Amino acid sequence: MSLSAAVLSAAGSSPSPSPSPTTPAVPSLQDAQKSATNAAGWVEENWSTWLAIGLRVLLIVVIAAVLRVVVRRAITKLIERMNRRAGTGASTALSGLLVNAERRRQRSEAIGSVLRSVASFLILGTAALMVLGTFQINLAPLLASAGVAGVAIGFGARNLVTDFLSGVFMILEDQYGVGDSIDAGVASGEVIEVGLRVTKLRGDNGEIWYVRNGEVKRIGNLSQGWSTAGVDVTVRSAEDLDKVKETIAAVGERMGKEEPWNEMLWGPIEVLGLDSVLLDSMVVRVSAKTMPGKSLTVERELRWRIKRAFDAADIQIVGGPEIPGQPAAAADPTAGVAAPSAYASTVSPQSVAASPIPPTSTTK
């Protein structure tokens, strides 16, 4: 066959078209039916497993929710019962002064809030881990990571943990509350806010102190119980002690019957006796039990009244003006004379040692 005949034969033939690699193959009806059959078979084989997992998860969630509600209500009832028992039970006068009903209510609310939060965290956290375990998720890496993260956070935030725990115990033990005047060592003043991490104080000059609970090593509460007002009266050693005592007792009796001192004084003003005795003076100690935070006010008023009563009774306080008509003490004639010196004598060892050495003459 010649070359031209071969070309014509090739041109006249129509070859079958080849499928394009980019054109997606259209699934046939048989393929769709086969896929549906496989899906139905898979669902039929695994529906019981998924149903069991769903029911288990639902049961865990329901139990956790019910347990959380029950525990929170139990904590609330326990706090209320403790309040009623503390309010109706036998209490001494000291316990009534230390904690009143309002402070007890605030403290119980804070304690109940902390306990309810801890219970909710434990219950919900345990339920979440049980749900993850139901889906057959390996919890070992998660728990290991949580443990490592907890250790790292514990080292990095140990001061925060210390402050939090200290705040919790301060609230549980009711060491102080809002409105109390305390001495926390690092700062002192009136408590205006109590938190689990920081306690806010207002100082005497109006400044506000933010004290971390973990830094407080001791607490002096000046608003619980009572305060003590103490006054030292210094008189001459020649004064009549019985007269001094009677005058101070009369001042205390009158002060205890007047407003508003009868409310501030929670006990009689007592003369405790001589605090010290010197050659020219003696100190009489006067004390009284007062309302918390009112000791300075009572002390100032008591000094004022004692001074006026002593002036009326001609009792001289050391350092005060001389009483008219009383002879002044004679001046000491030797007060302006200097003490004798060892150098006044020319033959004393000190004078001889301090004398210059005379020059020696040499003969040739």
Side-chain angles (χ1 to χ4, degrees):
M1 184 183 291
S2 62
L3 179 60
S4 59
V7 172
L8 292 175
S9 176
S13 62
S14 57
S16 60
S18 60
S20 176
T22 58
T23 303
V26 179
S28 61
L29 182 60
Q30 292 79 5
D31 295 337
Q33 185 178 2
K34 184 178 180 181
S35 298
T37 304
N38 293 336
W42 183 84
V43 171
E44 184 179 359
E45 292 177 358
N46 297 279
W47 72 271
S48 59
T49 304
W50 285 104
L51 181 60
I53 293 176
L55 292 177
R56 190 177 302 172
V57 171
L58 180 61
L59 182 62
I60 292 174
V61 172
V62 171
I63 292 177
V66 173
L67 184 60
R68 179 174 176 268
V69 172
V70 171
V71 171
R72 289 172 66 90
R73 289 186 178 179
I75 292 175
T76 303
K77 291 183 179 180
L78 178 62
I79 296 299
E80 292 178 355
R81 183 178 301 176
M82 291 175 60
N83 290 338
R84 289 196 300 266
R85 183 178 303 174
T88 59
S91 60
T92 61
L94 177 60
S95 63
L97 295 176
L98 291 178
V99 181
N100 54 30
E102 181 64 20
R103 284 180 55 83
R104 189 183 296 113
R105 185 189 63 81
Q106 295 178 359
R107 173 170 156 271
S108 63
E109 289 181 357
I111 296 173
S113 177
V114 172
L115 293 180
R116 283 190 292 267
S117 299
V118 172
S120 298
F121 176 78
L122 293 177
I123 294 173
L124 296 180
T126 305
L129 293 178
M130 293 179 66
V131 169
L132 293 178
T134 303
F135 288 102
Q136 297 181 356
I137 298 176
N138 189 9
L139 300 178
L142 179 62
L143 296 178
S145 302
V148 173
V151 172
I153 293 175
F155 278 108
R158 57 184 180 274
N159 292 332
L160 181 62
V161 175
T162 302
D163 297 340
F164 179 82
L165 293 178
S166 300
V168 170
F169 281 107
M170 286 179 182
I171 293 176
L172 291 176
E173 298 172 358
D174 192 24
Q175 298 179 5
Y176 54 83
V178 176
D180 290 349
S181 296
I182 66 171
D183 181 3
V186 295
S188 60
E190 181 182 354
V191 180
I192 59 177
E193 184 178 345
V194 179
L196 293 178
R197 192 182 70 88
V198 174
T199 297
K200 189 184 297 185
L201 305 176
R202 184 176 297 279
D204 298 334
N205 297 325
E207 69 275 9
I208 295 179
W209 299 96
Y210 295 87
V211 182
R212 289 171 41 199
N213 296 329
E215 294 182 348
V216 179
K217 304 301 181 183
R218 62 172 179 83
I219 290 291
N221 197 324
L222 307 179
S223 299
Q224 290 184 356
W226 59 82
S227 298
T228 302
V231 176
D232 292 333
V233 182
T234 306
V235 296
R236 296 185 309 171
S237 58
E239 296 292 343
D240 187 2
L241 287 178
D242 295 334
K243 183 178 180 181
V244 171
K245 185 176 181 180
E246 291 176 0
T247 304
I248 297 177
V251 169
E253 185 177 358
R254 288 194 303 269
M255 184 175 175
K257 296 179 181 180
E258 298 178 2
E259 294 285 347
W261 312 109
N262 55 355
E263 296 181 359
M264 297 183 185
L265 290 171
W266 287 5
I269 298 177
E270 300 178 353
V271 180
L272 300 182
L274 288 177
D275 192 65
S276 63
V277 178
L278 302 177
L279 293 177
D280 57 348
S281 64
M282 54 186 177
V283 179
V284 180
R285 181 71 174 177
V286 183
S287 177
K289 187 181 297 183
T290 67
M291 182 185 299
K294 299 298 182 180
S295 59
L296 294 178
T297 305
V298 173
E299 288 175 0
R300 296 187 183 101
E301 181 67 18
L302 190 57
R303 291 190 187 97
W304 182 284
R305 292 172 178 259
I306 290 176
K307 177 62 172 64
R308 296 179 61 181
F310 278 9
D311 291 342
D314 293 336
I315 299 176
Q316 185 179 1
I317 298 177
V318 172
E322 296 290 338
I323 299 177
Q326 184 176 0
D332 188 3
T334 62
V337 179
S341 174
Y343 296 97
S345 176
T346 57
V347 296
S348 64
Q350 291 84 357
S351 298
V352 173
S355 300
I357 300 176
T360 58
S361 57
T362 59
T363 57
K364 298 183 180 179

